[in-house]
Amino acid sequence: MNIEQTVKRAMHDVAELSDCQLIEPIKSDTLLLQSGLDSLGYAMLVAQLEEELGIDPFTELAITVYPATFAEFVAVYAKGLEQQSQ
């Protein structure tokens, strides 16, 4: 499973746990603020992805601006995984 699929599946899992309704389909240009997850949902998503992937790029990388779109969010994780493997 690639990182985009992993994030989408985790988003669906978190939405179900937190009783949120995700918009469908989640596309690259989907704005995170309009995806259906609230701030608690995103905190849960980051925690779940850290558990699954072994990284929290928001604390491990010097990210100054939170990603706005789904593609930007996935790119942060891809960069974190790339840096972890070096």
Side-chain angles (χ1 to χ4, degrees):
M1 185 178 293
N2 70 31
I3 187 64
E4 183 175 336
Q5 292 170 329
T6 299
V7 172
K8 279 184 181 178
R9 185 199 36 75
M11 287 178 79
H12 285 279
D13 291 349
V14 167
E16 187 175 315
L17 285 171
S18 61
D19 203 26
C20 292
Q21 181 66 43
L22 288 180
I23 64 164
E24 291 292 341
I26 300 278
K27 298 185 282 186
S28 294
D29 62 348
T30 298
L31 295 175
L32 295 177
L33 292 175
Q34 296 175 350
S35 68
L37 289 182
D38 57 14
S39 58
L40 176 59
Y42 276 103
M44 291 169 64
L45 176 63
V46 170
Q48 181 169 333
L49 289 170
E50 180 178 13
E51 187 175 307
E52 290 181 29
L53 302 174
I55 63 163
D56 177 359
F58 299 100
T59 57
E60 296 174 20
L61 302 175
I63 297 173
T64 57
V65 177
Y66 195 80
T69 66
F70 177 73
E72 292 170 357
F73 189 80
V74 169
V76 167
Y77 275 90
K79 184 176 180 177
L81 288 169
E82 178 184 310
Q83 193 171 45
Q84 181 185 44
S85 67
Q86 293 179 351

